[in-house]
Amino acid sequence: TASGWLVRRERSYDFVDDFNYRSLLTILESSEFDAPPEDLAGLAVIQNNIMVGFVGNDIYFSEPNRFHAWPNKYKISLEYNVVGMVALGSDLLVMTEGYPYAISGSDPSVLSVSRYSTNYPCLSARSIVQTDVGVMYATHEGLALASFTGGVQIVTAPAHSPDTWNLALNPTTIVGAFYDSMYFASHSAGSFFYRRNQDGQSPGDFVNYTPIFTATWFDPVGGFLYYTTGV
């Protein structure tokens, strides 16, 4: 204006949002990208680069190749609390406080869950060890071997009955590792080696060992097994 003042004119408009969202061609996938639970445990990676973890009896899955996205709709709830999980081949083997389970599939939205028929609960998360024939872990009756082809069996049955197994050691304290084709473990009263025979039919070798260790780790590069002992 001539006087140097700017005159502002305001106008009002009315708009009715009647657009049909079904006409949209692209859906915002990230709207369901939930954050993982804060107490998520037992992280593992299964086929199709899917990360998995658990809280209590709930198992959570990430989007493939998107480890920041854990949609709650993928959650699988089991009957028993999860003790530990191992990615075995293309599937996931789940040890619980009751029955073991197997979860299969490459798409977190379409996963199949099957429960083994044997009620062999896992008594120690640190006893869970992946071997060349499956997963071994401590249960009430002895050392269990779980696989997708042979089910779950007690491999230490020739050396220990359920009674002698619990008298000789405390299964809840077992810490295990796989070394030189053997299951090497320690417990509150000692240690032992278990070697499964190659035929899988005849009894394996169960040998008691003296040193007690509290943690162990196998170095795949150097081929050495390390363990810690008390002073």
Side-chain angles (χ1 to χ4, degrees):
T1 63
S3 60
W5 291 93
L6 179 63
V7 178
R8 180 179 179 183
R9 293 184 175 90
E10 295 183 357
R11 296 180 180 179
S12 61
Y13 296 91
D14 293 328
F15 173 73
V16 178
D17 185 1
D18 57 356
F19 182 80
N20 188 348
Y21 71 91
R22 295 183 178 86
S23 300
L24 293 173
L25 299 179
T26 303
I27 299 176
L28 183 63
E29 296 181 356
S30 60
S31 62
E32 295 184 341
F33 282 5
D34 301 309
E38 293 183 358
D39 50 350
L40 193 70
L43 291 178
V45 179
I46 59 176
Q47 65 172 331
N48 206 18
N49 214 20
I50 300 170
M51 185 168 281
V52 56
F54 66 88
V55 178
N57 67 323
D58 296 325
I59 303 178
Y60 295 83
F61 300 85
S62 76
E63 288 284 351
N65 296 305
R66 296 175 178 175
F67 296 156
H68 65 285
W70 296 72
N72 192 65
K73 63 181 181 180
Y74 296 154
K75 181 182 69 175
I76 293 177
S77 298
L78 302 179
E79 184 179 359
Y80 302 93
N81 285 336
V82 178
V83 178
M85 304 183 300
V86 175
L88 191 63
S90 59
D91 303 300
L92 183 70
L93 192 63
V94 183
M95 278 64 63
T96 74
E97 295 177 353
Y99 291 86
Y101 294 78
I103 298 179
S104 305
S106 59
D107 185 342
S109 64
V110 188
L111 294 172
S112 62
V113 181
S114 58
R115 191 182 77 174
Y116 286 91
S117 59
T118 48
N119 187 7
Y120 290 147
C122 180
L123 304 183
S124 169
R126 302 177 72 194
S127 72
I128 301 173
V129 175
Q130 183 173 355
T131 73
D132 54 348
V133 291
V135 176
M136 293 185 182
Y137 65 93
T139 188
H140 292 294
E141 287 79 3
L143 192 64
L145 170 63
S147 64
F148 291 106
T149 56
V152 185
Q153 55 184 310
I154 303 299
V155 293
T156 54
H160 278 293
S161 68
D163 291 335
T164 60
W165 170 258
N166 288 278
L167 286 174
L169 51 90
N170 182 358
T172 62
T173 64
I174 289 181
V175 178
F178 188 65
Y179 177 70
D180 194 21
S181 299
M182 295 185 295
Y183 183 92
F184 180 37
S186 180
H187 51 89
S188 58
S191 303
F192 67 87
F193 291 95
Y194 172 75
R195 186 192 298 272
R196 183 175 182 270
N197 286 341
Q198 295 299 321
D199 58 14
Q201 302 297 325
S202 55
D205 299 320
F206 189 96
V207 180
N208 290 313
Y209 192 54
T210 303
I212 298 177
F213 57 86
T214 56
T216 180
W217 178 71
F218 175 69
D219 177 14
V221 178
F224 297 102
L225 179 70
Y226 297 91
Y227 59 86
T228 61
T229 60
V231 179

